[in-house]
Amino acid sequence: MIQDLHFNEYGQPVGPRLEGWQPRALPPRTPLAGHWCRLEPLSVARHAEALYAAYSVQADGRDWTYMPAGPFPSMAALTEYLTKAEASADPLHHAIIDNATGQAVGTLALMRIDPANGVIEVGAVAYSRLVQRTPMGTEAQFLLMQRIFDELGYRRYEWKCNALNAPSRRAAERYGFQFEGIFRQAAVMKGRSRDTAWFSMLDHEWPAIRPAFVQWLAPENFDAKGQQRSRLGELVRGALGR
């Protein structure tokens, strides 16, 4: 749905004027701290061994089916990939550090960075089994959202995934991204055709979404066994009226 429709002097429909808009800054290579985890700029020296151990918890390659890289059969193979990832400015890769152990348990990246238009994507999300279905996975996303919207003032935050990757699509909706459609035959990945599902979150939606994350991530939302009391998806949908 097109909102805030305006018309120019020719009677043509145009979007709203952005008074005072300036290109946004590039995301910095600095850490982000949370209660359950923290994010650090990816470093082979600091993170490679822990990441290899974390990824090795899953014995087969199923966690890498929809990823452009992996699985990594050896430490050398993972190190080669991480070396290129560390040197990259876009994607800008981060390691997820478990605050309880101080060890890296996964990675994710900011990518397709477009400061002129205030658009950025989260991607290359490689969660090991040590971070999947834990508060760390959600908090890692929240820390990047805060950086993008609160710190840097971007207008649009994107999530894209293989259209057949049902867990990734569910995660996007749980976090508050809105489904926008399917780009058919958008890529060739690992020798297979990929349709890409697009999701987005906008700056004017973030003020409603943010408190839902804060409420869900609070330690008191989890019982003694670590089970959630409130569900993030329900909190987000309630906040957005979806």
Side-chain angles (χ1 to χ4, degrees):
M1 179 182 296
I2 299 177
Q3 300 179 3
D4 300 324
L5 192 63
H6 299 259
F7 295 88
N8 65 12
E9 64 270 31
Y10 310 113
Q12 297 166 313
V14 294
R17 187 177 299 278
L18 298 178
E19 299 292 347
W21 171 258
Q22 295 292 326
R24 288 341 195 199
L26 292 169
R29 289 181 179 265
T30 55
L32 290 164
H35 175 81
W36 305 98
C37 71
R38 67 182 183 274
L39 302 183
E40 297 178 355
L42 181 64
S43 164
V44 172
R46 293 196 308 271
H47 305 132
E49 289 188 9
L51 286 172
Y52 185 68
Y55 291 142
S56 296
V57 170
Q58 175 59 43
D60 59 31
R62 69 185 63 205
D63 289 343
W64 302 95
T65 298
Y66 300 111
M67 299 289 290
F72 302 100
S74 66
M75 179 67 182
L78 178 62
T79 299
E80 181 181 2
Y81 166 76
L82 294 178
T83 298
K84 294 177 182 178
E86 180 183 354
S88 170
D90 185 355
L92 178 60
H93 293 268
H94 300 71
I96 304 167
I97 311 300
D98 183 346
N99 282 343
T101 65
Q103 297 298 307
V105 291
T107 63
L108 74 173
L110 295 171
M111 56 195 297
R112 300 184 185 276
I113 303 168
D114 183 357
N117 292 299
V119 179
I120 197 166
E121 177 184 342
V122 60
V125 179
Y127 287 178
S128 76
R129 292 295 165 130
L130 300 181
V131 70
Q132 293 176 26
R133 303 181 69 83
T134 74
M136 289 186 290
T138 297
E139 187 172 56
Q141 297 291 340
F142 177 61
L143 291 172
L144 287 185
M145 291 174 187
Q146 287 189 115
R147 167 150 287 176
I148 293 313
F149 288 123
D150 296 335
E151 179 182 336
L152 299 177
Y154 277 64
R155 303 176 61 235
R156 174 181 167 90
Y157 195 39
E158 296 179 338
W159 177 294
K160 304 185 186 83
C161 63
N162 190 308
L164 299 176
N165 188 348
S168 183
R169 294 179 66 164
R170 287 195 299 268
E173 293 176 346
R174 174 175 174 265
Y175 295 145
F177 289 86
Q178 182 168 316
F179 177 63
E180 294 184 330
I182 303 291
F183 278 40
R184 301 179 300 161
Q185 296 187 185
V188 176
M189 189 167 292
K190 294 180 176 176
R192 296 181 182 274
S193 181
R194 167 177 147 157
D195 294 352
T196 298
W198 283 54
F199 298 80
S200 71
M201 184 184 299
L202 304 182
D203 54 356
H204 68 264
E205 297 165 339
W206 173 240
I209 294 171
R210 189 182 195 280
F213 272 87
V214 172
Q215 181 178 342
W216 190 85
L217 288 166
E220 55 268 26
N221 186 46
F222 299 89
D223 63 22
K225 296 181 179 180
Q227 299 299 309
Q228 61 183 347
R229 292 189 168 96
S230 299
R231 295 182 177 275
L232 179 61
E234 294 173 356
L235 294 173
V236 168
R237 286 193 296 273
L240 295 173
R242 292 180 183 169

